[in-house]
């Protein structure tokens, strides 16, 4: 019994040695080393990342980003130091986005250089009727807000190239920027289209523009007759914004004695028909020049009642856009047509 009791520890010791020598192979030792190595690398990675985060400077010490150029340009349109007056640049518009992408940043830069406080209003016609430039300008005048005191009726495809052109407040009377002597296409004396500046007071004196002109053209010719009726007549200038005492202008078979207030035109501009860039491509975008018999009879008449007082429209939405850093407001507008009065609003 004593012998067996003393032999058990020895036998147990030998079995343990056989167990270790049988199981601990070279491959298992290699695997154990790899596990230890991976654990060490993981611990080292965690400790290093903790040190780096501790050494990282706080967020408030980081330098601020540079200011955004579009925001700085957008604030320039309403700089009070530029004067007390602000221009509403009204652009009657439909489906001419390629021209709008050029027009908005160009005019924004042009007016900023001249230090003209302004906002650009794109009156976008979204109804199914024919294009009505005059009604859209009426909408622009009514939707321009109380922060503007004069407006520019401005075609989207006409860009001023001469910085001497005046876009300032037309205090003495309406100012026709795109005069017949400078416009690249239209040269007749009674032309008042393209670009025309008016105070809101003068525009209201004319009751705005007639709403009867659906399709392209003739609405500005009718507006010229409104200016005459409101005694806002044409005066050729000796210098920019200077008035002569009395100027006689021959129009057709009669003469008009022009007394203040008058419709002014620029002078001293030597660039002639290269004063403006006309970016409309007639081969690519056809104008709606169709006329029915009744419309042909109406187009040369003065509309005695129509204008701001009988304008009917709905503003579907407003969108504030920035095009190449230049801000503008797009007013999506649905015009209404009385087909008993102007059935040609649905022509074509």
């Amino acid at each position: 019994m004593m012998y067996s009791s003393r032999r058990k520890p020895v036998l147990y010791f030998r079995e343990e040695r056989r167990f270790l020598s049988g199981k601990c192979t070279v491959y298992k030792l290699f695997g154990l080393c790899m596990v230890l190595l991976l654990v060490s690398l993981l611990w080292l990675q965690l400790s290093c990342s903790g040190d780096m985060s501790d050494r990282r400077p706080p967020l408030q010490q980081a330098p601020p980003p540079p200011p955004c150029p579009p925001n700085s340009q957008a604030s320039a349109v309403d700089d009070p130091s530029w004067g007390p007056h602000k221009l509403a640049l009204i652009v009657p518009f439909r489906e001419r986005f390629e021209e709008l992408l050029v027009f908005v940043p160009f005019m924004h830069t042009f007016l900023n250089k001249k230090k003209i406080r302004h906002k650009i209003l794109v009156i976008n016609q979204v109804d199914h009727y024919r294009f009505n430039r005059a009604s859209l300008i009426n909408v622009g005048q009514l939707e321009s807000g109380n922060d503007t005191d004069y407006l520019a009726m401005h075609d989207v495809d006409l860009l001023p190239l001469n910085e001497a052109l005046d876009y300032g407040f037309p205090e003495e009377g309406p100012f026709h920027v795109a005069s017949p002597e400078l416009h690249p296409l239209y040269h007749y004396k009674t032309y008042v289209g393209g670009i025309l500046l008016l105070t809101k007071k003068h525009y209201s004196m004319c009751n705005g523009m007639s709403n009867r002109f659906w399709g392209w053209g003739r609405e500005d010719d009718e507006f010229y007759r409104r200016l005459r009726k409101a005694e806002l007549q044409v005066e050729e200038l000796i210098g920019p914004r200077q008035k002569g005492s009395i100027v006689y202008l021959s129009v057709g078979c009669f003469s008009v004695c022009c007394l203040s207030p008058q419709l002014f035109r620029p002078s001293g501009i030597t660039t002639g028909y290269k004063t403006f860039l006309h970016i409309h491509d007639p081969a690519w975008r056809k104008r709606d020049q169709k006329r029915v018999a009744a419309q042909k009879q109406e187009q040369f008449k003065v509309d005695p009642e129509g204008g701001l007082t009988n304008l009917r429209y709905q503003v579907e939405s407003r969108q504030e856009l920035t095009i190449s850093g230049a801000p503008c407001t797009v007013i999506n507008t649905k015009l209404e047509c009385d087909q008993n009065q102007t059935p040609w609003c649905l022509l074509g």
Side-chain angles (χ1 to χ4, degrees):
M1 297 294 294
M2 293 296 294
Y3 174 79
S4 59
S5 62
R6 284 198 296 269
R7 294 288 293 178
K8 285 182 179 179
V10 177
L11 292 175
Y12 179 78
F13 179 75
R14 288 182 178 179
E15 289 176 359
E16 185 179 5
R17 288 183 61 184
R18 286 197 302 268
F19 170 78
L20 292 175
S21 61
K23 300 294 182 181
C24 293
T25 63
V26 176
Y27 297 105
K28 291 182 179 180
L29 290 175
F30 178 77
L32 181 61
C33 292
M34 292 300 296
V35 171
L36 294 175
L37 179 62
L38 291 176
V39 172
S40 301
L41 291 175
L42 180 61
W43 177 83
L44 181 63
Q45 176 71 19
L46 292 176
S47 61
C48 290
S49 62
D51 293 340
M52 291 299 294
S53 62
D54 294 338
R55 295 175 185 176
R56 189 175 299 165
L59 293 177
Q60 61 269 21
Q61 296 180 2
C68 181
N71 289 340
S72 62
Q73 288 187 7
S75 62
V77 303
D78 200 15
D79 189 340
S81 66
W82 290 356
H85 303 292
K86 185 174 180 180
L87 170 67
L89 189 69
I90 299 175
V91 184
F93 181 82
R94 174 184 264 178
E95 297 178 351
R96 300 172 73 170
F97 297 101
E98 295 82 4
E99 297 167 5
L100 188 68
L101 293 177
V102 177
F103 176 86
V104 171
F106 183 94
M107 289 306 304
H108 177 71
T109 302
F110 183 87
L111 294 173
N112 276 352
K113 286 182 179 180
K114 299 180 72 65
K115 295 185 177 181
I116 301 293
R117 297 175 62 196
H118 66 278
K119 64 179 179 181
I120 301 175
L121 302 176
V122 181
I123 315 302
N124 181 30
Q125 184 175 343
V126 296
D127 54 70
H128 61 280
Y129 298 117
R130 300 172 71 190
F131 185 68
N132 192 322
R133 177 179 180 269
S135 292
L136 295 177
I137 294 174
N138 287 339
V139 173
Q141 197 271 351
L142 295 176
E143 298 292 332
S144 57
N146 296 326
D147 59 333
T148 59
D149 53 0
Y150 73 111
L151 56 89
M153 304 154 49
H154 210 300
D155 288 349
V156 72
D157 57 5
L158 197 61
L159 305 179
L161 301 180
N162 192 325
E163 294 186 2
L165 292 170
D166 192 357
Y167 275 74
F169 183 74
E171 185 173 0
E172 295 88 355
F175 186 70
H176 187 210
V177 180
S179 65
E181 296 80 13
L182 304 177
H183 196 284
L185 295 180
Y186 307 115
H187 309 139
Y188 57 96
K189 288 292 184 179
T190 59
Y191 176 69
V192 292
I195 308 169
L196 180 64
L197 306 181
L198 300 94
T199 65
K200 289 187 173 181
K201 177 182 178 180
H202 287 156
Y203 196 78
S204 298
M205 287 173 59
C206 300
N207 192 24
M209 303 184 74
S210 173
N211 300 305
R212 298 177 64 87
F213 292 86
W214 301 89
W216 180 82
R218 300 299 184 185
E219 76 285 336
D220 48 356
D221 295 332
E222 197 272 347
F223 190 66
Y224 173 79
R225 291 188 283 271
R226 289 183 179 230
L227 294 176
R228 286 183 50 216
K229 185 178 180 180
E231 296 182 356
L232 302 174
Q233 299 152 333
V234 177
E235 177 181 359
E236 301 296 336
L237 302 184
I238 299 173
R241 296 295 175 90
Q242 297 176 358
K243 294 188 295 184
S245 56
I246 299 178
V247 176
Y248 291 90
L249 173 66
S250 295
V251 181
C253 58
F254 59 93
S255 296
V256 180
C257 180
C258 298
L259 299 176
S260 180
Q262 297 135 342
L263 188 148
F264 292 84
R265 281 173 171 160
S267 69
I269 303 296
T270 60
T271 47
Y273 297 150
K274 296 182 179 180
T275 304
F276 299 95
L277 176 63
H278 191 248
I279 59 177
H280 179 82
D281 186 358
W284 178 68
R285 189 184 297 277
K286 301 292 184 181
R287 298 189 188 276
D288 180 9
Q289 297 180 342
K290 296 179 181 180
R291 300 284 192 274
V292 297
Q295 187 179 9
K296 291 179 181 178
Q297 296 173 3
E298 291 284 336
Q299 65 186 1
F300 295 106
K301 296 180 181 180
V302 177
D303 184 1
E305 299 177 356
L308 294 173
T309 53
N310 70 344
L311 174 68
R312 296 188 302 174
Y313 72 98
Q314 294 179 357
V315 173
E316 191 173 75
S317 63
R318 286 175 176 258
Q319 294 175 298
E320 302 295 333
L321 300 182
T322 301
I323 303 175
S324 299
C328 68
T329 302
V330 178
I331 303 178
N332 297 311
T333 305
K334 284 186 175 181
L335 300 177
E336 298 182 11
C337 172
D338 185 352
Q339 298 183 37
N340 294 323
Q341 296 292 327
T342 56
W344 50 84
C345 63
L346 288 173
L347 178 66

